[in-house]
Amino acid sequence: MRVEVDFDLCQGHAECQVEAPDWFTVGKGADAKARAKRGEIPEDQIDAVRDAVKYCPTQALRLVDTDRAQE
Ligand code: SF4
């Protein structure tokens, strides 16, 4: 599982960083966007990342099933 950020939807609210600070960073300023780590989300991070996806106010985050993406 990995996570993608839709930069058109992201408004820099930083809820994702609050929920999963080890996986997301959000810059400061009016045009701040979330940056997610690339690659497979480790087991110990998946619940936090799922919460980030859930609580993102603009639904800018999307979980991608890596296994299916490779089919
Ligand atoms: S919570 Fe959503 S809108 Fe806010 S910075 Fe994270 S991805 Fe962007």
Side-chain angles (χ1 to χ4, degrees):
M1 198 80 80
R2 61 187 171 82
V3 66
E4 293 179 346
V5 181
D6 184 329
F7 295 113
D8 291 331
L9 293 176
C10 177
Q11 295 180 5
H13 296 286
E15 283 300 322
C16 52
Q17 187 175 257
V18 171
E19 297 295 338
D22 291 339
W23 209 255
F24 297 97
T25 54
V26 183
K28 299 200 186 306
D31 57 352
K33 303 283 181 185
R35 297 181 72 97
K37 286 186 183 173
R38 291 174 182 267
E40 193 70 18
I41 303 165
E43 280 297 314
D44 65 348
Q45 290 290 316
I46 195 76
D47 286 346
V49 173
R50 280 188 199 280
D51 282 347
V53 172
K54 187 170 157 186
Y55 294 119
C56 171
T58 62
Q59 297 172 351
L61 301 175
R62 186 171 77 97
L63 283 170
V64 177
D65 187 334
T66 319
D67 292 337
R68 288 193 180 190
Q70 291 172 349
E71 284 177 5

